[in-house]
Amino acid sequence: MNIRRCQALAVTLYLNAMAILIGISPRAAEGHLIYTLDDPYIHLAIGESILSGGYGINVGEAAAPSSSVIWPYLMAALL
């Protein structure tokens, strides 16, 4: 087996595994969105705050609790 075929096989296996995990996850969580870490919640909360004209988690309190500056804006664009 040459290196190209090995790489193609590895990529195919990886993509299939990801597709299976993505397909199983919503069913396993009964359709609920579950945060395994607090960072995704923080980014989404800041994104919602940005949509309402603020920047932070608490209403009326400007704060930068996120480790990333651009990520909450990307989340706001997707909300």
Side-chain angles (χ1 to χ4, degrees):
M1 223 185 222
N2 64 19
I3 192 73
R4 294 251 187 232
R5 290 184 78 186
C6 287
Q7 288 174 338
L9 179 62
V11 168
T12 301
L13 289 173
Y14 174 78
L15 292 176
N16 284 333
M18 290 298 105
I20 290 169
L21 285 174
I22 290 170
I24 290 173
S25 295
R27 289 187 203 107
E30 297 176 356
H32 298 286
L33 190 60
I34 297 174
Y35 299 104
T36 57
L37 301 171
D38 61 290
D39 285 345
Y41 169 77
I42 291 170
H43 291 297
L44 286 172
I46 294 172
E48 289 176 346
S49 177
I50 290 169
L51 288 177
S52 65
Y55 189 86
I57 294 177
N58 300 324
V59 177
E61 181 181 320
S66 174
S67 59
S68 171
V69 175
I70 192 71
W71 193 250
Y73 286 100
L74 293 174
M75 291 291 103
L78 296 175
L79 291 175

